[in-house]
C-alpha cells in the first residue's frame, strides 16, 4: 500500500524526470530511512541515475546526535550509497541570531542540501515530509495566523520534492516494522516543549475524534488553497509590472480587489525597502486606503509608508528638525532649514489691496519701539487667528484645511510675536495686527530666495 502511494505521488506530480539524480535528506529517523529504502527499491523503475544521501548533525542531543550521524553513514554503506555529512551547533547559532532553534535548523538544513546538490549537479532534493506532517504544518500556521503557511507545503517546490505526501505517519512506522527496517528514535519528538509536538500529541488526536479522515481533508484543502494562492500571486505580479514607482496613485490602484492589492503591497514594500511587512501592517495599509487626509504607518525604525490624499509612498523616517530664530526690525537672517532669507523692515507706504494676495511679503501694524519676533517650528497647542475672523483655531486644523502634507507641517516655519502667530511663512498671514489706511507703524517681512 505505502509503495503504491509513493509511486503514485511521484507520477501524479511529475516529481522525477528520467535519468535524474536524487539527493535524500536523511536524519536517521523512521521517515527519512523508509524514504531511502523506497528510493533504492524503485531506483530502476523510476529511471533514477544516482541516489545520494546528506545528513546534517545539529548537535542538539549530545551523544545521540553523533550516533544518528554514524547510523546514517553505516546505512549509506550498507545500501551502497554515497553520503555527505556536516556538523553545526544549531543552538549556538540560534542564540547568536536570537531566532528559534527550529527556524535556524530548517534554514541551515536546506542551505546544506542545496550546496551538495549544486556541487554534484543533482537535480532533485527529496525530503521525508508526509501527509501527517502536512496536517501538523497547516494547523501550526493556522494557530499562528500565518496565511501563507496555512496551505502547508507542495509536493514539489523548485528542486525540492516530497514523494511521501500521500502517506500517513502510522503507515510509515508499520512499513518499517513489517520490513525489519532499523532506524533511530529521536526522543525530542516525544517532548511537548516544542509547539509542533504539542500539536502532534494533543491537538491532532482531538481533531481526529471529530474527523477521522482529518489528514486527507486537510490535503484537499491544501490543494485548493494552493490553486487560489498561485492565481492571486500571478495577478499581484502583473500589478508589480504596472506599478513599480516608489509613489503610487491610489485612484488607479483602488479598482483592484483587496485580495490582490495586499499581496501587491507586500511585494512592492519588499522590493523597495527589503522589509517584509507583517500581516498587521498590511491590514493597516488596507484600512488607510479609504481614509481621508494624511496617514502614516511605521514599517521599521527607519522606514514608513505614507498616504497623502490620493497617493501612497515610502519614506525614510526623519526626525522633525526643530529650529528657532530671533528677528528684529532691519534684520535679514538666513533660515538654513528652508534655504531662504527673511528680511524685516519698516515702511510708510503700502498697497493694502495688493497685500491681500501677497504670500512672499506680509505687513503688520505693531506699535512697539523695538519689537522682537521669533521664527520657529510649530508647537503643541499652537493656535491661529484666520484673517477677518474673531475666533482662533488650532494651527494643526488650519494646516490640514490648507491640504499641507503632514510631513511638511512638522517643519513649516511660522512667524511669532508675543506668543501670537503672525504668519505661516509663505502660506497665510493671521488676523492679528492688521494694517489699515491710517497705520503709522507698519512692519513688513519678506521672503528672499537664495
Amino acid at each position: 500500500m505505502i509503495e503504491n502511494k509513493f509511486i503514485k505521488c511521484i507520477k501524479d506530480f511529475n516529481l522525477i524526470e528520467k535519468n535524474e539524480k536524487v539527493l535524500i535528506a536523511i536524519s536517521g529517523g523512521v521517515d527519512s530511512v523508509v524514504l531511502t529504502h523506497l528510493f533504492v527499491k524503485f531506483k530502476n523503475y523510476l529511471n533514477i541515475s544516482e541516489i545520494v544521501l546528506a545528513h546534517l548533525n545539529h548537535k542538539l542531543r549530545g551523544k545521540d546526535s553523533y550516533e544518528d550521524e554514524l547510523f546514517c553513514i553505516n546505512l549509506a554503506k550498507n545500501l551502497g550509497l554515497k553520503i555527505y555529512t556536516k556538523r553545526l551547533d544549531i543552538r549556538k547559532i540560534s542564540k547568536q541570531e536570537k531566532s528559534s532553534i527550529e527556524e535556524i535548523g530548517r534554514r541551515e538544513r536546506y542551505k546544506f542540501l542545496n550546496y551538495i546538490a549544486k556541487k554534484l549537479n543533482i537535480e532533485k532534493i527529496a525530503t521525508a515530509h508526509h501527509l501527517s506532517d502536512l496536517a501538523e504544518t497547516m494547523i501550526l500556521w493556522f494557530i499562528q495566523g500565518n496565511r501563507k503557511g496555512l496551505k502547508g507545503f507542495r509536493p514539489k517546490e523548485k528542486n525540492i520534492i516530497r514523494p511521501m505526501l500521500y502517506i500517513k505517519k502510522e503507515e510509515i512506522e508499520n512499513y518499517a516494522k513489517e520490513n525489519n527496517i532499523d532506524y533511530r528514535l529521536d526522543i525530542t519528538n516525544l517532548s511537548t516543549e516544542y509547539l509542533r509536538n504539542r500539536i502532534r500529541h494533543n491537538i491532532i488526536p482531538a481533531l481526529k475524534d471529530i474527523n477521522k479522515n482529518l489528514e486527507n481533508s486537510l490535503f484537499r484543502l491544501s490543494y485548493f488553497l494552493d490553486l487560489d494562492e498561485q492565481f492571486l500571486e500571478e495577478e499581484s505580479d502583473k500589478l508589480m509590472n504596472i506599478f513599480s514607482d516608489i509613489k503610487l496613485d491610489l485612484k488607479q490602484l483602488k479598482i483592484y480587489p483587496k485580495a490582490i492589492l495586499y499581496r501587491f503591497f507586500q511585494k512592492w514594500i519588499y522590493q523597495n525597502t527589503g522589509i517584509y511587512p507583517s500581516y498587521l501592517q498590511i491590514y493597516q495599509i488596507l484600512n488607510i486606503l479609504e481614509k481621508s487626509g494624511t496617514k502614516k504607518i511605521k514599517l521599521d525604525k527607519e522606514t514608513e509608508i505614507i498616504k497623502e490624499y490620493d497617493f501612497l509612498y515610502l519614506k525614510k523616517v526623519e526626525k522633525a528638525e526643530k529650529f528657532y530664530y530671533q528677528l528684529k526690525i532691519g534684520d535679514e537672517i538666513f533660515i538654513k532649514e528652508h534655504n531662504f532669507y527673511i528680511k524685516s523692515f519698516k515702511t510708510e507706504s503700502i498697497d493694502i489691496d495688493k497685500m491681500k494676495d501677497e504670500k512672499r511679503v506680509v505687513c503688520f501694524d505693531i506699535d512697539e519701539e523695538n519689537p522682537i519676533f521669533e521664527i520657529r517650528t510649530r508647537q503643541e497647542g499652537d493656535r491661529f487667528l484666520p484673517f477677518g475672523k474673531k475666533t482662533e483655531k488650532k494651527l494643526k486644523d488650519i494646516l490640514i484645511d490648507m491640504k499641507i502634507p503632514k510631513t511638511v507641517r512638522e517643519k513649516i516655519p511660522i512667524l511669532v510675536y508675543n506668543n501670537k502667530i503672525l504668519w505661516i511663512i509663505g502660506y497665510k498671514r493671521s488676523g492679528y495686527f492688521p494694517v489699515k489706511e491710517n497705520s503709522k507703524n507698519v512692519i513688513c517681512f519678506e521672503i528672499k530666495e537664495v
Side-chain angles (χ1 to χ4, degrees), residues 144-155:
Q144 296 182 340
N146 185 303
R147 171 197 61 80
K148 207 156 191 175
L150 181 59
K151 69 181 187 304
F153 44 77
R154 300 176 185 173

Side-chain angles (χ1 to χ4, degrees), residues 106-159:
R106 182 183 184 280
R107 184 193 75 190
E108 293 299 327
R109 184 163 59 253
Y110 280 106
K111 185 177 174 182
F112 171 59
L113 291 169
N114 278 298
Y115 169 77
I116 297 298
K118 185 176 181 180
K119 179 181 177 181
L120 302 177
N121 294 315
I122 296 176
E123 292 86 0
K124 298 291 168 60
I125 297 172
T127 67
H129 292 102
H130 47 72
L131 187 57
S132 301
D133 281 331
L134 178 66
E136 292 171 9
T137 300
M138 292 177 72
I139 293 167
L140 174 67
W141 290 123
F142 172 76
I143 290 170
Q144 296 182 340
N146 185 303
R147 171 197 61 80
K148 207 156 191 175
L150 181 59
K151 69 181 187 304
F153 44 77
R154 300 176 185 173
K156 179 165 67 174
E157 295 180 54
K158 296 181 179 178
N159 65 332

Side-chain angles (χ1 to χ4, degrees), residues 6 12 20 39 63 80 110 126 131 144 181 190 192 234-235 278 320 347 357 362 376-377 386 388 417 422 431 442-443:
F6 172 75
D12 284 354
E20 283 189 325
F39 265 117
K63 182 182 176 183
Y110 280 106
L131 187 57
Q144 296 182 340
I181 296 173
L190 303 175
T192 53
E234 288 170 6
E235 292 300 305
S278 68
T347 184
D357 297 320
V362 294
R376 61 168 172 82
T377 47
Y417 169 66
L422 302 183
V442 178
I443 301 172

